[in-house]
Amino acid sequence: MLIRFGFEIEIETAEPVPMLLALSTRPELADDIVFEREIQFSDELPTNTYLDRFGNRITRLVAPGGQLAIRSDGLIDANDAFDFQDLSARQIPIPDLPDEVLQFLVASRYCDSDNLINDAWQLFKEVPEGGRRVQAITDYVHANVTFGYQFGRANKTASETFREKSGVCRDFAHLAISLCRAMNIPARYASGYLGDIGVPYSGPGDFSAWFEVYLGDQWYTFDARHNQPRKGRIVMVRGADAADVAMITSFGEHDLKYFAVWTDEIGVNQGASELHRLMQSRPKAEPLVFPSSARVA
C-alpha cells in the first residue's frame, strides 16, 4: 500500500528562538520509505539531526525571527494490514519484564498514573489481566472522554482528562497509558501520521496520537481515540508521553500561523508519478507557498 505523507507548517517568532522539531519518521521505517524529503525551510538555516533517548529523529535549529515555513513530503510502501491486537496476550509479571521496558511503568510528566491507581483498580480489577484488560481500558477512555480541539491545552495531565472527560487525541492516549501503568501494564506514547484509509473521511488532516502496550514479548498498538484497528499508521515518535516528543519544542515564544498534514493512499501507477514529482520538487531555499484551502490552526 503506497501512502503519500507530509506536512506544511508556518510559525512566527519575534526574535531568534532555538527549537527542537520532532517531525521526522522513525528510523526503523527506512526499509519501507520509497522517498522522504528531509525537513525543508523557507529560509536557508543550519540544522542538525540527532537521535534522542527513545530513538526518535530530532532536528535542531534556531528560528531566525519573523515567519518561517517548514515542510516535508514523502512516499512509503506501508503494510496493508490493520493493527494487530491479541486480546489473549499475557501480562508479564514485573520481575520478568525486560530492563528497557520498566521505564514505561512509572508516572511521567503528563501520564500521572500515581494519581489514578485507586480509580484504575476500582474500574478494572475484575477484568482478566493482559490484552482483555487493555481493551477494557481503551473502551472506557473512548466511551467517557469527548473529543474536541477546543478541549486541548498544552499542560493537561491524564488525571485532569479523567476528571474533565474531554480532550484531544494526545489526552485520550495519556489517560489510557496512565490507567495501564496504574495496573502494572507497561505503556508508551506514540504519534505520527494516520489518514482516513479504510474508514470514512473524518475531516482535514492532522497528526495523531495513540499508545502501545507491552504484553507477552512484544508491543501492541491500541488507540483510545478511535477504538478500532486501523491501517496506514506511520510512526514519527515514541516516548513516555507527549513531553518527550512535542512536535515543536521552542526555547522562547512562537506563534503557529499555519498547519496542514496529508496522509493519502495512492495507486501504484500514481505512486510512480508522485515519486518523480517529489524528486523534482522545489529546492530547500525556495519559499514555500501554501494552498488557501488547508486548515489553519
Side-chain angles (χ1 to χ4, degrees), residues 18-294:
M19 291 186 171
L20 305 177
L21 307 181
L23 290 169
S24 299
T25 57
R26 290 278 300 186
E28 59 264 30
L29 296 181
D31 289 344
D32 299 323
I33 297 290
V34 179
F35 175 82
E36 182 177 12
R37 187 171 297 285
E38 293 299 322
I39 297 175
Q40 298 174 279
F41 301 93
S42 52
D43 296 327
E44 194 70 46
L45 298 175
T47 63
N48 176 54
T49 300
Y50 67 94
L51 295 181
D52 70 6
R53 65 190 178 99
F54 297 105
N56 304 307
R57 289 195 292 161
I58 307 298
T59 301
R60 183 176 179 179
L61 70 144
V62 177
Q67 290 193 335
L68 179 68
I70 310 168
R71 188 181 198 272
S72 184
D73 209 354
L75 194 65
I76 186 172
D77 188 2
N79 191 323
D80 194 30
F82 286 89
D83 300 326
F84 175 64
Q85 296 167 348
D86 182 3
L87 299 189
S88 66
R90 185 173 68 94
Q91 182 171 331
I92 304 299
I94 292 176
D96 298 331
L97 286 169
D99 294 341
E100 64 274 14
V101 172
L102 294 174
Q103 64 184 316
F104 299 111
L105 276 176
V106 297
S108 56
R109 170 67 180 85
Y110 297 121
C111 294
D112 53 337
S113 51
D114 50 337
N115 291 325
L116 291 168
I117 291 175
N118 291 337
D119 297 295
W121 282 95
Q122 182 177 358
L123 287 167
F124 307 111
K125 65 182 178 181
E126 302 299 331
V127 181
E129 289 188 347
R132 289 181 177 82
R133 182 170 283 177
V134 175
Q135 186 58 60
I137 289 171
T138 304
D139 290 342
Y140 175 87
V141 175
H142 180 77
N144 288 276
V145 179
T146 299
F147 177 86
Y149 288 107
Q150 71 273 25
F151 302 129
R153 60 179 183 271
N155 60 353
K156 193 171 189 176
T157 65
S159 62
E160 290 172 331
T161 300
F162 183 78
R163 294 193 299 271
E164 296 172 20
K165 300 185 183 305
S166 60
V168 293
C169 60
R170 74 172 227 162
D171 301 314
F172 281 72
H174 284 157
L175 179 53
I177 289 168
S178 298
L179 293 171
C180 284
R181 291 179 186 172
M183 305 293 290
N184 299 324
I185 303 168
R188 66 188 182 189
Y189 182 89
S191 179
Y193 298 94
L194 180 62
D196 293 325
I197 298 174
V199 298
Y201 175 73
S202 63
D206 199 352
F207 294 123
S208 185
W210 56 89
F211 72 106
E212 298 172 345
V213 296
Y214 190 84
L215 298 171
D217 60 354
Q218 69 181 82
W219 290 94
Y220 292 90
T221 296
F222 285 82
D223 189 335
R225 162 73 178 93
H226 298 101
N227 199 23
Q228 68 178 105
R230 297 284 293 270
K231 61 181 178 178
R233 294 184 196 271
I234 304 173
V235 184
M236 299 172 73
V237 290
R238 292 188 174 102
D241 62 31
D244 296 320
V245 292
M247 180 179 70
I248 300 175
T249 300
S250 65
F251 300 91
E253 293 187 2
H254 76 275
D255 291 325
L256 182 62
K257 296 295 186 180
Y258 182 92
F259 179 79
V261 176
W262 54 90
T263 316
D264 303 310
E265 183 180 8
I266 60 178
V268 174
N269 292 334
Q270 184 185 1
S273 63
E274 285 289 320
L275 177 59
H276 176 76
R277 192 194 64 76
L278 292 175
M279 293 288 286
Q280 302 300 320
S281 63
R282 62 175 72 89
K284 180 177 179 181
E286 183 179 339
L288 303 178
V289 178
F290 299 116
S292 60
S293 59

